[in-house]
Amino acid sequence: MAHGSSGLRRVVHELAKFGAVGGAGLLVNLGVFNLVRHLTDLPVVRASVIATVVSIVFNYVGFRYFTYRDRDKSGRTKELTLFLLFSAVGLVIENGLLFAATYGFGWDSPLQNNVFKFVGIGVATLFRFWSYRTWVFRALPAKEAVADAESFLAAAGRSREPEPEPEPRAGQRVG
């Protein structure tokens, strides 16, 4: 039970750190989106894609150096490739919802754009959390194995009383 609750505690802690970076990334994404929309004549989905790309860069730095800083760093090229691949899928999810709302249903006011941008970010975030923790920022298996072995040995040592030294037999020299 104790091991299970510490595993749950780790996931909750990871989720909180992921949420902190993601929340800041959300502000970056929505801020850039609205800035591009107001300063340029770009169509809504193009402005959204630019904002999503800026937030992907921001989030990678936050995830690598804050949320998952204790994870395996040996394969940075593979990590970055997978991050970009799964981020691209998230970009399609996020902006696909905005595209459908804007061009499929005609919901194209600034408020509607922001609502569907936000909903798209939410749906894409569920996918990103799963994919990043499963494939991109993988836990170091050896570190977890060592921690489990150390806790097992510590528990075994506490539960076992030291065995007393045998008494010397008659005629046996001591020391």
Side-chain angles (χ1 to χ4, degrees):
M1 174 82 171
H3 178 68
S5 65
S6 69
L8 177 62
R9 192 174 305 123
R10 261 194 313 256
V11 171
V12 168
H13 184 69
E14 176 185 341
L15 189 57
K17 289 167 66 172
F18 185 90
V21 171
L26 171 71
L27 294 176
V28 167
N29 196 334
L30 291 174
V32 170
F33 172 65
N34 284 293
L35 196 63
V36 171
R37 287 281 292 152
H38 291 293
L39 296 178
T40 71
D41 292 330
L42 287 175
V44 65
V45 176
R46 285 189 191 158
S48 181
V49 168
I50 290 169
T52 303
V53 169
V54 170
S55 70
I56 286 170
V57 172
F58 175 87
N59 286 345
Y60 178 77
V61 172
F63 292 143
R64 167 43 52 215
Y65 297 103
F66 177 67
T67 305
Y68 298 113
R69 70 175 173 244
D70 61 331
R71 300 291 175 97
D72 186 9
K73 296 176 183 80
S74 62
R76 283 288 172 95
T77 302
K78 180 181 176 185
E79 173 186 282
L80 188 56
T81 302
L82 288 172
F83 181 84
L84 292 174
L85 174 72
F86 291 121
S87 294
V89 172
L91 181 143
V92 170
I93 293 168
E94 176 182 327
N95 293 292
L97 285 168
L98 180 61
F99 180 89
T102 304
Y103 300 109
F105 295 101
W107 297 325
D108 196 20
S109 74
L111 176 62
Q112 290 168 330
N113 291 160
N114 278 286
V115 166
F116 285 100
K117 172 85 171 150
F118 185 79
V119 169
I121 291 170
V123 173
T125 296
L126 296 173
F127 169 77
R128 288 177 178 133
F129 178 72
W130 169 80
S131 63
Y132 293 166
R133 80 181 308 266
T134 304
W135 300 101
V136 181
F137 302 106
R138 298 183 68 161
L140 290 171
K143 185 177 181 180
E144 291 178 2
V146 168
D148 288 346
E150 287 174 345
S151 64
F152 172 79
L153 291 173
R158 284 191 302 268
S159 67
R160 232 178 59 198
E161 291 293 321
E163 294 183 23
E165 300 248 351
E167 294 290 322
R169 290 189 229 168
Q172 187 178 12
R173 273 186 13 172
V174 178

